[in-house]
Amino acid sequence: AQTVTQSQPEMSVQEAETVTLSCTYDTSENNYYLFWYKQPPSRQMILVIRQEAYKQQNATENRFSVNFQKAAKSFSLKISDSQLGDTAMYFCAFMDYTGTASKLTFGTGTRLQVTL
Amino acid sequence: DTEVTQTPKHLVMGMTNKKSLKCEQHMGHRAMYWYKQKAKKPPELMFVYSYEKLSINESVPSRFSPECPNSSLLNLHLHALQPEDSALYLCASSQVSLGGNQPQHFGDGTRLSIL
């Protein structure tokens, strides 16, 4: 079974600053997919960014980018120019494919607070 | 606006009641999922449907009964629930592809309270 670890339960960043959320995982698979989701107080899980393990290039989506280190099994999320709307719970997730369906395994989450 | 719609948003029920949670999507996705999320915890997978057939049941108690009547609709029937079943129930959907790399899109969830 895959495991996903987020070692930072809570983080705080000032508006316009940069913050990095860490995530490590454990798997014996060679090809897999990793995701970051955010969950604001409104409850909806929103996809932030995804990374295919076979791609060496780090994924980027506007202010969000990842640092994917496959050998180290590390998948951190960098948020640049933080905005108040980035305040949310952030979950790192590993996608498993069983042949008929895919499964997401989530980390325990990092609560990010963006302050003025 | 979410493209996965869950109803109701809140549900309070007694342990002897029977109720159902509903999830609907019109994105043409053929995989649908139920997750359970306790407060301050990550979502935990309960069931996966692929092409309207149950693909994964994560050893969920039989008091939870899923149903996928068509490709757009997913239900979760509840009966004789326990207080520990109080949680946020999230529905998600995704495209089905070889290698299973498609992201899942989530609804807003149903917050369930068992008295």
Side-chain angles (χ1 to χ4, degrees):
Chain A
Q2 273 57 242
T3 58
V4 181
T5 302
Q6 294 179 249
S7 58
Q8 306 151 314
E10 293 185 4
M11 293 193 72
S12 182
V13 64
Q14 286 193 317
E15 201 176 20
E17 297 296 307
T18 295
V19 64
T20 299
L21 310 183
S22 65
C23 172
T24 58
Y25 58 92
D26 189 23
T27 184
S28 57
E29 302 291 325
N30 187 49
N31 196 21
Y32 48 87
Y33 303 89
L34 297 162
F35 300 84
W36 279 98
Y37 280 87
K38 67 181 276 190
Q39 188 176 37
S42 63
R43 310 186 318 204
Q44 188 191 2
M45 295 283 283
I46 301 166
L47 177 66
V48 175
I49 199 166
R50 70 172 171 176
Q51 175 79 42
E52 291 88 349
Y54 64 86
K55 287 187 177 179
Q56 292 186 337
Q57 187 173 7
N58 289 324
T60 298
E61 287 286 343
N62 300 315
R63 298 182 296 107
F64 299 89
S65 62
V66 299
N67 183 4
F68 174 52
Q69 302 289 328
K70 190 174 183 180
K73 297 180 181 174
S74 170
F75 181 59
S76 61
L77 174 70
K78 185 171 84 171
I79 306 174
S80 304
D81 186 24
S82 297
Q83 301 175 358
L84 294 177
D86 295 333
T87 293
M89 191 73 155
Y90 286 80
F91 291 101
C92 177
F94 181 102
M95 180 168 278
D96 229 327
Y97 184 61
T98 67
T100 56
S102 59
K103 296 172 55 173
L104 278 177
T105 300
F106 290 90
T108 50
T110 296
R111 184 170 303 280
L112 177 67
Q113 180 72 45
V114 181
T115 59
L116 291 171
Chain B
D1 288 340
T2 180
E3 296 173 333
V4 177
T5 303
Q6 290 188 243
T7 54
K9 293 195 181 307
H10 302 273
L11 179 62
V12 179
M13 58 187 287
M15 289 189 286
T16 59
N17 292 156
K18 285 186 180 180
K19 296 285 185 183
S20 297
L21 309 185
K22 180 179 172 182
C23 174
E24 199 163 4
Q25 57 88 16
H26 295 287
M27 295 179 282
H29 293 170
R30 301 303 296 275
M32 297 187 77
Y33 312 77
W34 280 116
Y35 289 86
K36 174 182 178 180
Q37 186 179 23
K38 300 285 280 185
K40 299 185 179 181
K41 297 289 186 182
E44 293 180 344
L45 183 66
M46 299 174 72
F47 303 103
V48 181
Y49 274 82
S50 181
Y51 293 105
E52 297 86 69
K53 294 192 188 312
L54 184 64
S55 292
I56 297 176
N57 177 343
E58 293 286 88
S59 303
V60 179
S62 60
R63 56 187 185 268
F64 294 91
S65 176
E67 179 196 19
C68 190
N70 60 58
S71 60
S72 300
L73 190 56
L74 183 67
N75 297 319
L76 186 62
H77 303 297
L78 314 173
H79 174 55
L81 295 194
Q82 304 298 308
E84 61 265 27
D85 296 324
S86 296
L88 180 68
Y89 288 83
L90 292 165
C91 173
S93 70
S94 73
Q95 294 178 1
V96 178
S97 66
L98 281 177
N101 62 343
Q102 298 301 312
Q104 295 178 17
H105 299 260
F106 287 81
D108 288 342
T110 293
R111 189 165 300 285
L112 177 64
S113 298
I114 307 300
L115 299 178

